[in-house]
Amino acid sequence: MIPYGKQDISQEDINHVIEVLKSDFLTQGPKVPAFESALTQFTHSKYALAVNSATSALHIACLALELGEGDWLWTSPITFVASANCGLYCGAKVDFVDINPKTYNMCPIQLEKKLKLAKKQGRLPKVVVPVHLCGQSCDMEAIWKLSKEYGFRVIEDASHAIGGKYKSQPIGCCEFSDITIFSFHPVKIVTTAEGGAALTNDELLAEKMALFRSHGITRDESLMESPSHGSWYYQQVDLGFNYRMTELQAALGVSQMSRLEEFVSKRHVLANNYNRLLEGLPLKCPFQLEDTYSGLHLYVIRLKLEEINLTHKQVFDALRDNGVGVNLHYIPIHLQPYYSKMGFSEGMFPESEQYYREAISLPMFPNLSAEQQVYIVTLLRDILERKL
Ligand SMILES: *Cc1c(COP(=O)(O)O)cnc(C)c1O
């Protein structure tokens, strides 16, 4: 089966990890700070906190922004559940903003409409989490402007988007957000096996996230509530977690970061191939905004179901039955049973629901070959023309 996503691990990546295994530190050594500097250098953000997953990064980001009981977090229905769950971890309530039918990202017009209504009802969100679906940036300038007007904070979920750009700035620079988070899961653009990071330009937010990452404990006397007892001393000043990244993961991350630009440009070559090969088929290829450079984590097509005599599921299953590991990103979160129980139901976010009825993620990873792409598209064509 050709998977929809897969890591690319070089001999150099392996050597970096082995070096750590032979060193003094498996955790809490020099590699995590080195990985964090690689992230700030690449993105031009001031601070980066590496953690054990993007889910953890979202959690500490929400905590640092003081999201809590009685607050609202808004995100897109078309994202991984973690983008919404982080609000629930903090005791906040979650709501959604429908997507733009072209980009599949949170629609700023829908956001403004919902904000106007929420203001009247006294239930404005404290945090909004725009998700750069497939690696293409949301309209961050518009969202940031609304955040100033309506007083909410912004966490960019850039799990798909490291290596991408928005208005010629690297995604992660936090020009139009308080915090940006990345994921380093193996299917994403660079990997640390499991891993994530939270980036910010705000010193106070960085300090708070560093505390939440490691038990709420500090060894920095300036953050203590009373004088240090001596060089052994640490103080717990808040309730945190153990969300630390290991040295092995960070070493892999450092090595992978040196190949980030190569990874993304390979993904662009593959996307251009798909665009060309898929021409004339009854489906929509991804829409490319002019002022963004996508990280291209995913390549999502949408079937024009009115032009074919097959169901979405039939096309999807036929691809899988013939060795193409397609996937669907994502099932609208509000339709998940856990969220339905909070009162969400079908019909609430029509663009997201329509997307879900038509979307298929084709395989997209740096080592996908041009021959494999021809196989995938030929297969898809045969399925759509009912030759199979
Ligand atoms: C993968 C992903 C996450 C979670 O990442 P982990 O590192 O697996 O916790 C969150 N949001 C989005 C949009 C993702 O794709």
mmCIF file of all heavy atoms in Angstrom, residues 36-82:
data_model
loop_
_atom_site.group_PDB
_atom_site.id
_atom_site.type_symbol
_atom_site.label_atom_id
_atom_site.label_comp_id
_atom_site.label_asym_id
_atom_site.label_seq_id
_atom_site.Cartn_x
_atom_site.Cartn_y
_atom_site.Cartn_z
ATOM 1 N N GLU A 36 15.315 24.028 19.420
ATOM 2 C CA GLU A 36 14.532 25.255 19.568
ATOM 3 C C GLU A 36 15.186 26.416 18.810
ATOM 4 O O GLU A 36 14.487 27.224 18.182
ATOM 5 C CB GLU A 36 14.347 25.589 21.056
ATOM 6 C CG GLU A 36 13.430 24.570 21.735
ATOM 7 C CD GLU A 36 13.358 24.672 23.243
ATOM 8 O OE1 GLU A 36 14.269 25.283 23.855
ATOM 9 O OE2 GLU A 36 12.397 24.147 23.832
ATOM 10 N N SER A 37 16.519 26.487 18.847
ATOM 11 C CA SER A 37 17.165 27.570 18.066
ATOM 12 C C SER A 37 16.977 27.354 16.576
ATOM 13 O O SER A 37 16.823 28.321 15.828
ATOM 14 C CB SER A 37 18.667 27.694 18.265
ATOM 15 O OG SER A 37 19.064 27.331 19.471
ATOM 16 N N ALA A 38 17.012 26.084 16.136
ATOM 17 C CA ALA A 38 16.775 25.835 14.708
ATOM 18 C C ALA A 38 15.385 26.333 14.321
ATOM 19 O O ALA A 38 15.189 26.902 13.241
ATOM 20 C CB ALA A 38 16.919 24.347 14.406
ATOM 21 N N LEU A 39 14.423 26.152 15.224
ATOM 22 C CA LEU A 39 13.049 26.593 14.936
ATOM 23 C C LEU A 39 12.933 28.110 14.906
ATOM 24 O O LEU A 39 12.301 28.681 14.009
ATOM 25 C CB LEU A 39 12.076 26.015 15.975
ATOM 26 C CG LEU A 39 11.858 24.503 15.927
ATOM 27 C CD1 LEU A 39 11.048 24.033 17.134
ATOM 28 C CD2 LEU A 39 11.138 24.096 14.639
ATOM 29 N N THR A 40 13.561 28.787 15.877
ATOM 30 C CA THR A 40 13.456 30.256 15.891
ATOM 31 C C THR A 40 14.231 30.853 14.711
ATOM 32 O O THR A 40 13.789 31.820 14.114
ATOM 33 C CB THR A 40 13.958 30.880 17.211
ATOM 34 O OG1 THR A 40 15.268 30.389 17.473
ATOM 35 C CG2 THR A 40 13.064 30.545 18.373
ATOM 36 N N GLN A 41 15.356 30.232 14.377
ATOM 37 C CA GLN A 41 16.113 30.740 13.231
ATOM 38 C C GLN A 41 15.321 30.622 11.950
ATOM 39 O O GLN A 41 15.279 31.549 11.140
ATOM 40 C CB GLN A 41 17.416 29.959 13.078
ATOM 41 C CG GLN A 41 18.596 30.709 13.665
ATOM 42 C CD GLN A 41 19.866 29.887 13.557
ATOM 43 O OE1 GLN A 41 20.041 29.128 12.606
ATOM 44 N NE2 GLN A 41 20.732 30.027 14.537
ATOM 45 N N PHE A 42 14.679 29.504 11.782
ATOM 46 C CA PHE A 42 13.945 29.286 10.537
ATOM 47 C C PHE A 42 12.709 30.174 10.450
ATOM 48 O O PHE A 42 12.390 30.701 9.384
ATOM 49 C CB PHE A 42 13.538 27.814 10.394
ATOM 50 C CG PHE A 42 13.034 27.492 9.017
ATOM 51 C CD1 PHE A 42 13.916 27.081 8.027
ATOM 52 C CD2 PHE A 42 11.689 27.647 8.690
ATOM 53 C CE1 PHE A 42 13.467 26.827 6.736
ATOM 54 C CE2 PHE A 42 11.231 27.396 7.399
ATOM 55 C CZ PHE A 42 12.126 26.985 6.430
ATOM 56 N N THR A 43 12.012 30.334 11.569
ATOM 57 C CA THR A 43 10.718 31.034 11.528
ATOM 58 C C THR A 43 10.832 32.518 11.866
ATOM 59 O O THR A 43 9.863 33.249 11.678
ATOM 60 C CB THR A 43 9.734 30.417 12.542
ATOM 61 O OG1 THR A 43 10.328 30.535 13.855
ATOM 62 C CG2 THR A 43 9.479 28.947 12.248
ATOM 63 N N HIS A 44 11.960 32.938 12.413
ATOM 64 C CA HIS A 44 12.163 34.318 12.887
ATOM 65 C C HIS A 44 11.301 34.666 14.094
ATOM 66 O O HIS A 44 11.063 35.840 14.359
ATOM 67 C CB HIS A 44 11.930 35.364 11.783
ATOM 68 C CG HIS A 44 12.679 35.078 10.517
ATOM 69 N ND1 HIS A 44 12.265 35.508 9.288
ATOM 70 C CD2 HIS A 44 13.809 34.377 10.283
ATOM 71 C CE1 HIS A 44 13.099 35.089 8.354
ATOM 72 N NE2 HIS A 44 14.052 34.393 8.945
ATOM 73 N N SER A 45 10.793 33.669 14.800
ATOM 74 C CA SER A 45 10.090 33.981 16.055
ATOM 75 C C SER A 45 11.147 34.123 17.141
ATOM 76 O O SER A 45 12.273 33.637 16.980
ATOM 77 C CB SER A 45 9.113 32.866 16.414
ATOM 78 O OG SER A 45 9.824 31.741 16.875
ATOM 79 N N LYS A 46 10.780 34.779 18.256
ATOM 80 C CA LYS A 46 11.782 34.986 19.317
ATOM 81 C C LYS A 46 11.982 33.742 20.179
ATOM 82 O O LYS A 46 13.094 33.459 20.603
ATOM 83 C CB LYS A 46 11.332 36.144 20.220
ATOM 84 C CG LYS A 46 11.709 37.512 19.674
ATOM 85 C CD LYS A 46 11.627 38.551 20.779
ATOM 86 C CE LYS A 46 11.710 39.946 20.212
ATOM 87 N NZ LYS A 46 10.888 40.898 20.983
ATOM 88 N N TYR A 47 10.892 33.043 20.481
ATOM 89 C CA TYR A 47 10.982 31.914 21.411
ATOM 90 C C TYR A 47 10.338 30.664 20.800
ATOM 91 O O TYR A 47 9.335 30.775 20.099
ATOM 92 C CB TYR A 47 10.259 32.232 22.729
ATOM 93 C CG TYR A 47 10.716 33.527 23.349
ATOM 94 C CD1 TYR A 47 10.006 34.706 23.142
ATOM 95 C CD2 TYR A 47 11.872 33.563 24.135
ATOM 96 C CE1 TYR A 47 10.437 35.903 23.699
ATOM 97 C CE2 TYR A 47 12.311 34.758 24.692
ATOM 98 C CZ TYR A 47 11.587 35.921 24.469
ATOM 99 O OH TYR A 47 12.023 37.101 25.016
ATOM 100 N N ALA A 48 10.925 29.516 21.104
ATOM 101 C CA ALA A 48 10.332 28.238 20.710
ATOM 102 C C ALA A 48 10.466 27.281 21.884
ATOM 103 O O ALA A 48 11.522 27.192 22.512
ATOM 104 C CB ALA A 48 11.044 27.662 19.492
ATOM 105 N N LEU A 49 9.381 26.590 22.194
ATOM 106 C CA LEU A 49 9.377 25.591 23.264
ATOM 107 C C LEU A 49 9.066 24.244 22.638
ATOM 108 O O LEU A 49 7.958 24.043 22.133
ATOM 109 C CB LEU A 49 8.269 25.894 24.278
ATOM 110 C CG LEU A 49 8.397 27.016 25.306
ATOM 111 C CD1 LEU A 49 9.557 26.765 26.236
ATOM 112 C CD2 LEU A 49 8.449 28.380 24.685
ATOM 113 N N ALA A 50 10.032 23.345 22.659
ATOM 114 C CA ALA A 50 9.796 22.011 22.109
ATOM 115 C C ALA A 50 9.121 21.153 23.168
ATOM 116 O O ALA A 50 9.497 21.199 24.340
ATOM 117 C CB ALA A 50 11.120 21.382 21.681
ATOM 118 N N VAL A 51 8.122 20.394 22.742
ATOM 119 C CA VAL A 51 7.378 19.511 23.655
ATOM 120 C C VAL A 51 7.151 18.149 22.999
ATOM 121 O O VAL A 51 7.596 17.925 21.875
ATOM 122 C CB VAL A 51 6.029 20.145 24.083
ATOM 123 C CG1 VAL A 51 6.243 21.287 25.054
ATOM 124 C CG2 VAL A 51 5.221 20.614 22.878
ATOM 125 N N ASN A 52 6.473 17.260 23.732
ATOM 126 C CA ASN A 52 6.354 15.884 23.236
ATOM 127 C C ASN A 52 5.263 15.662 22.187
ATOM 128 O O ASN A 52 5.150 14.580 21.633
ATOM 129 C CB ASN A 52 6.179 14.920 24.421
ATOM 130 C CG ASN A 52 4.969 15.254 25.261
ATOM 131 O OD1 ASN A 52 4.227 16.184 24.961
ATOM 132 N ND2 ASN A 52 4.745 14.518 26.318
ATOM 133 N N SER A 53 4.450 16.664 21.909
ATOM 134 C CA SER A 53 3.477 16.565 20.808
ATOM 135 C C SER A 53 2.881 17.938 20.539
ATOM 136 O O SER A 53 2.978 18.843 21.377
ATOM 137 C CB SER A 53 2.339 15.588 21.154
ATOM 138 O OG SER A 53 1.492 16.155 22.125
ATOM 139 N N ALA A 54 2.238 18.079 19.394
ATOM 140 C CA ALA A 54 1.524 19.327 19.098
ATOM 141 C C ALA A 54 0.312 19.458 20.017
ATOM 142 O O ALA A 54 -0.091 20.567 20.362
ATOM 143 C CB ALA A 54 1.084 19.350 17.647
ATOM 144 N N THR A 55 -0.240 18.327 20.408
ATOM 145 C CA THR A 55 -1.371 18.344 21.333
ATOM 146 C C THR A 55 -0.951 19.001 22.651
ATOM 147 O O THR A 55 -1.662 19.865 23.186
ATOM 148 C CB THR A 55 -1.876 16.900 21.564
ATOM 149 O OG1 THR A 55 -2.186 16.337 20.289
ATOM 150 C CG2 THR A 55 -3.074 16.855 22.465
ATOM 151 N N SER A 56 0.228 18.615 23.147
ATOM 152 C CA SER A 56 0.760 19.249 24.370
ATOM 153 C C SER A 56 1.039 20.731 24.129
ATOM 154 O O SER A 56 0.793 21.565 25.008
ATOM 155 C CB SER A 56 2.057 18.571 24.808
ATOM 156 O OG SER A 56 1.866 17.201 25.011
ATOM 157 N N ALA A 57 1.556 21.058 22.951
ATOM 158 C CA ALA A 57 1.852 22.462 22.635
ATOM 159 C C ALA A 57 0.572 23.291 22.656
ATOM 160 O O ALA A 57 0.543 24.405 23.198
ATOM 161 C CB ALA A 57 2.538 22.562 21.272
ATOM 162 N N LEU A 58 -0.505 22.728 22.085
ATOM 163 C CA LEU A 58 -1.796 23.430 22.109
ATOM 164 C C LEU A 58 -2.284 23.613 23.541
ATOM 165 O O LEU A 58 -2.801 24.674 23.902
ATOM 166 C CB LEU A 58 -2.837 22.636 21.305
ATOM 167 C CG LEU A 58 -2.734 22.732 19.784
ATOM 168 C CD1 LEU A 58 -3.492 21.595 19.109
ATOM 169 C CD2 LEU A 58 -3.257 24.087 19.285
ATOM 170 N N HIS A 59 -2.089 22.595 24.359
ATOM 171 C CA HIS A 59 -2.536 22.677 25.753
ATOM 172 C C HIS A 59 -1.800 23.771 26.523
ATOM 173 O O HIS A 59 -2.425 24.637 27.141
ATOM 174 C CB HIS A 59 -2.353 21.303 26.428
ATOM 175 C CG HIS A 59 -2.959 21.216 27.800
ATOM 176 N ND1 HIS A 59 -2.689 20.177 28.654
ATOM 177 C CD2 HIS A 59 -3.799 22.049 28.478
ATOM 178 C CE1 HIS A 59 -3.355 20.373 29.787
ATOM 179 N NE2 HIS A 59 -4.031 21.501 29.704
ATOM 180 N N ILE A 60 -0.458 23.774 26.438
ATOM 181 C CA ILE A 60 0.294 24.799 27.192
ATOM 182 C C ILE A 60 0.067 26.195 26.605
ATOM 183 O O ILE A 60 0.109 27.189 27.335
ATOM 184 C CB ILE A 60 1.804 24.482 27.333
ATOM 185 C CG1 ILE A 60 2.503 24.399 25.980
ATOM 186 C CG2 ILE A 60 2.023 23.214 28.173
ATOM 187 C CD1 ILE A 60 4.031 24.299 26.085
ATOM 188 N N ALA A 61 -0.218 26.262 25.311
ATOM 189 C CA ALA A 61 -0.518 27.563 24.694
ATOM 190 C C ALA A 61 -1.818 28.115 25.273
ATOM 191 O O ALA A 61 -1.894 29.286 25.659
ATOM 192 C CB ALA A 61 -0.615 27.414 23.182
ATOM 193 N N CYS A 62 -2.834 27.254 25.368
ATOM 194 C CA CYS A 62 -4.117 27.691 25.943
ATOM 195 C C CYS A 62 -3.962 28.082 27.403
ATOM 196 O O CYS A 62 -4.526 29.087 27.857
ATOM 197 C CB CYS A 62 -5.159 26.581 25.831
ATOM 198 S SG CYS A 62 -5.747 26.304 24.162
ATOM 199 N N LEU A 63 -3.172 27.307 28.144
ATOM 200 C CA LEU A 63 -2.963 27.621 29.562
ATOM 201 C C LEU A 63 -2.239 28.953 29.721
ATOM 202 O O LEU A 63 -2.589 29.768 30.579
ATOM 203 C CB LEU A 63 -2.155 26.509 30.249
ATOM 204 C CG LEU A 63 -2.885 25.181 30.461
ATOM 205 C CD1 LEU A 63 -1.913 24.103 30.932
ATOM 206 C CD2 LEU A 63 -4.035 25.335 31.469
ATOM 207 N N ALA A 64 -1.230 29.177 28.885
ATOM 208 C CA ALA A 64 -0.474 30.428 28.974
ATOM 209 C C ALA A 64 -1.374 31.629 28.666
ATOM 210 O O ALA A 64 -1.176 32.714 29.223
ATOM 211 C CB ALA A 64 0.714 30.388 28.015
ATOM 212 N N LEU A 65 -2.358 31.420 27.802
ATOM 213 C CA LEU A 65 -3.295 32.505 27.472
ATOM 214 C C LEU A 65 -4.444 32.575 28.485
ATOM 215 O O LEU A 65 -5.405 33.310 28.301
ATOM 216 C CB LEU A 65 -3.832 32.327 26.049
ATOM 217 C CG LEU A 65 -2.772 32.461 24.937
ATOM 218 C CD1 LEU A 65 -3.345 32.060 23.583
ATOM 219 C CD2 LEU A 65 -2.221 33.879 24.881
ATOM 220 N N GLU A 66 -4.316 31.775 29.536
ATOM 221 C CA GLU A 66 -5.264 31.773 30.659
ATOM 222 C C GLU A 66 -6.685 31.412 30.241
ATOM 223 O O GLU A 66 -7.666 31.944 30.762
ATOM 224 C CB GLU A 66 -5.214 33.121 31.407
ATOM 225 C CG GLU A 66 -3.848 33.301 32.061
ATOM 226 C CD GLU A 66 -3.655 34.657 32.729
ATOM 227 O OE1 GLU A 66 -4.591 35.490 32.687
ATOM 228 O OE2 GLU A 66 -2.565 34.877 33.279
ATOM 229 N N LEU A 67 -6.781 30.490 29.312
ATOM 230 C CA LEU A 67 -8.088 29.963 28.943
ATOM 231 C C LEU A 67 -8.580 29.085 30.090
ATOM 232 O O LEU A 67 -7.824 28.259 30.605
ATOM 233 C CB LEU A 67 -7.953 29.126 27.662
ATOM 234 C CG LEU A 67 -9.248 28.601 27.055
ATOM 235 C CD1 LEU A 67 -10.035 29.726 26.389
ATOM 236 C CD2 LEU A 67 -8.966 27.497 26.039
ATOM 237 N N GLY A 68 -9.821 29.272 30.486
ATOM 238 C CA GLY A 68 -10.323 28.487 31.619
ATOM 239 C C GLY A 68 -11.830 28.344 31.588
ATOM 240 O O GLY A 68 -12.475 28.609 30.566
ATOM 241 N N GLU A 69 -12.372 27.948 32.715
ATOM 242 C CA GLU A 69 -13.801 27.717 32.821
ATOM 243 C C GLU A 69 -14.576 28.984 32.469
ATOM 244 O O GLU A 69 -14.176 30.078 32.861
ATOM 245 C CB GLU A 69 -14.121 27.317 34.274
ATOM 246 C CG GLU A 69 -15.079 26.156 34.360
ATOM 247 C CD GLU A 69 -15.068 25.541 35.751
ATOM 248 O OE1 GLU A 69 -14.051 24.913 36.117
ATOM 249 O OE2 GLU A 69 -16.062 25.721 36.456
ATOM 250 N N GLY A 70 -15.651 28.795 31.733
ATOM 251 C CA GLY A 70 -16.487 29.936 31.345
ATOM 252 C C GLY A 70 -16.011 30.603 30.076
ATOM 253 O O GLY A 70 -16.713 31.435 29.509
ATOM 254 N N ASP A 71 -14.800 30.264 29.615
ATOM 255 C CA ASP A 71 -14.280 30.846 28.367
ATOM 256 C C ASP A 71 -14.681 29.987 27.169
ATOM 257 O O ASP A 71 -15.050 28.828 27.324
ATOM 258 C CB ASP A 71 -12.745 30.922 28.410
ATOM 259 C CG ASP A 71 -12.244 31.881 29.474
ATOM 260 O OD1 ASP A 71 -12.940 32.874 29.771
ATOM 261 O OD2 ASP A 71 -11.144 31.626 30.022
ATOM 262 N N TRP A 72 -14.537 30.604 25.995
ATOM 263 C CA TRP A 72 -14.791 29.897 24.731
ATOM 264 C C TRP A 72 -13.535 29.842 23.892
ATOM 265 O O TRP A 72 -12.793 30.822 23.803
ATOM 266 C CB TRP A 72 -15.858 30.625 23.910
ATOM 267 C CG TRP A 72 -17.240 30.476 24.438
ATOM 268 C CD1 TRP A 72 -17.872 31.307 25.315
ATOM 269 C CD2 TRP A 72 -18.179 29.437 24.129
ATOM 270 N NE1 TRP A 72 -19.151 30.858 25.571
ATOM 271 C CE2 TRP A 72 -19.363 29.709 24.847
ATOM 272 C CE3 TRP A 72 -18.138 28.306 23.306
ATOM 273 C CZ2 TRP A 72 -20.495 28.883 24.774
ATOM 274 C CZ3 TRP A 72 -19.260 27.496 23.229
ATOM 275 C CH2 TRP A 72 -20.425 27.786 23.970
ATOM 276 N N LEU A 73 -13.327 28.692 23.251
ATOM 277 C CA LEU A 73 -12.299 28.547 22.217
ATOM 278 C C LEU A 73 -13.024 28.210 20.922
ATOM 279 O O LEU A 73 -13.884 27.332 20.903
ATOM 280 C CB LEU A 73 -11.313 27.441 22.588
ATOM 281 C CG LEU A 73 -10.233 27.100 21.534
ATOM 282 C CD1 LEU A 73 -8.921 26.732 22.225
ATOM 283 C CD2 LEU A 73 -10.649 25.965 20.602
ATOM 284 N N TRP A 74 -12.649 28.907 19.847
ATOM 285 C CA TRP A 74 -13.234 28.628 18.528
ATOM 286 C C TRP A 74 -12.149 28.109 17.607
ATOM 287 O O TRP A 74 -11.017 28.614 17.600
ATOM 288 C CB TRP A 74 -13.822 29.893 17.899
ATOM 289 C CG TRP A 74 -15.044 30.443 18.574
ATOM 290 C CD1 TRP A 74 -15.663 29.981 19.701
ATOM 291 C CD2 TRP A 74 -15.794 31.595 18.144
ATOM 292 N NE1 TRP A 74 -16.757 30.761 20.001
ATOM 293 C CE2 TRP A 74 -16.860 31.760 19.062
ATOM 294 C CE3 TRP A 74 -15.684 32.492 17.083
ATOM 295 C CZ2 TRP A 74 -17.796 32.793 18.942
ATOM 296 C CZ3 TRP A 74 -16.613 33.518 16.963
ATOM 297 C CH2 TRP A 74 -17.657 33.665 17.883
ATOM 298 N N THR A 75 -12.513 27.107 16.812
ATOM 299 C CA THR A 75 -11.593 26.632 15.778
ATOM 300 C C THR A 75 -12.401 26.204 14.556
ATOM 301 O O THR A 75 -13.612 26.450 14.469
ATOM 302 C CB THR A 75 -10.669 25.512 16.320
ATOM 303 O OG1 THR A 75 -9.677 25.205 15.336
ATOM 304 C CG2 THR A 75 -11.434 24.239 16.666
ATOM 305 N N SER A 76 -11.742 25.569 13.620
ATOM 306 C CA SER A 76 -12.400 25.097 12.402
ATOM 307 C C SER A 76 -12.923 23.684 12.638
ATOM 308 O O SER A 76 -12.285 22.894 13.329
ATOM 309 C CB SER A 76 -11.363 25.082 11.270
ATOM 310 O OG SER A 76 -11.822 24.299 10.191
ATOM 311 N N PRO A 77 -14.063 23.319 12.029
ATOM 312 C CA PRO A 77 -14.520 21.926 12.153
ATOM 313 C C PRO A 77 -13.621 20.970 11.373
ATOM 314 O O PRO A 77 -13.574 19.788 11.686
ATOM 315 C CB PRO A 77 -15.915 21.944 11.524
ATOM 316 C CG PRO A 77 -16.286 23.380 11.330
ATOM 317 C CD PRO A 77 -15.014 24.147 11.241
ATOM 318 N N ILE A 78 -12.921 21.494 10.336
ATOM 319 C CA ILE A 78 -12.086 20.627 9.500
ATOM 320 C C ILE A 78 -10.643 20.687 9.999
ATOM 321 O O ILE A 78 -9.794 21.420 9.465
ATOM 322 C CB ILE A 78 -12.187 21.030 8.005
ATOM 323 C CG1 ILE A 78 -13.641 20.918 7.532
ATOM 324 C CG2 ILE A 78 -11.284 20.151 7.128
ATOM 325 C CD1 ILE A 78 -14.246 19.501 7.589
ATOM 326 N N THR A 79 -10.392 19.953 11.056
ATOM 327 C CA THR A 79 -9.045 19.833 11.611
ATOM 328 C C THR A 79 -9.005 18.577 12.457
ATOM 329 O O THR A 79 -10.036 17.942 12.691
ATOM 330 C CB THR A 79 -8.660 21.066 12.455
ATOM 331 O OG1 THR A 79 -7.337 20.883 12.997
ATOM 332 C CG2 THR A 79 -9.621 21.295 13.605
ATOM 333 N N PHE A 80 -7.803 18.239 12.916
ATOM 334 C CA PHE A 80 -7.678 17.114 13.834
ATOM 335 C C PHE A 80 -8.297 17.525 15.178
ATOM 336 O O PHE A 80 -8.229 18.695 15.565
ATOM 337 C CB PHE A 80 -6.198 16.746 13.994
ATOM 338 C CG PHE A 80 -5.995 15.497 14.797
ATOM 339 C CD1 PHE A 80 -6.644 14.319 14.458
ATOM 340 C CD2 PHE A 80 -5.171 15.504 15.912
ATOM 341 C CE1 PHE A 80 -6.468 13.165 15.213
ATOM 342 C CE2 PHE A 80 -4.992 14.352 16.671
ATOM 343 C CZ PHE A 80 -5.653 13.187 16.308
ATOM 344 N N VAL A 81 -8.858 16.557 15.874
ATOM 345 C CA VAL A 81 -9.593 16.846 17.117
ATOM 346 C C VAL A 81 -8.774 17.621 18.154
ATOM 347 O O VAL A 81 -9.335 18.357 18.974
ATOM 348 C CB VAL A 81 -10.144 15.546 17.761
ATOM 349 C CG1 VAL A 81 -11.268 14.963 16.931
ATOM 350 C CG2 VAL A 81 -9.040 14.514 17.986
ATOM 351 N N ALA A 82 -7.440 17.491 18.087
ATOM 352 C CA ALA A 82 -6.582 18.152 19.088
ATOM 353 C C ALA A 82 -6.746 19.672 19.091
ATOM 354 O O ALA A 82 -6.627 20.304 20.143
ATOM 355 C CB ALA A 82 -5.118 17.789 18.852
#
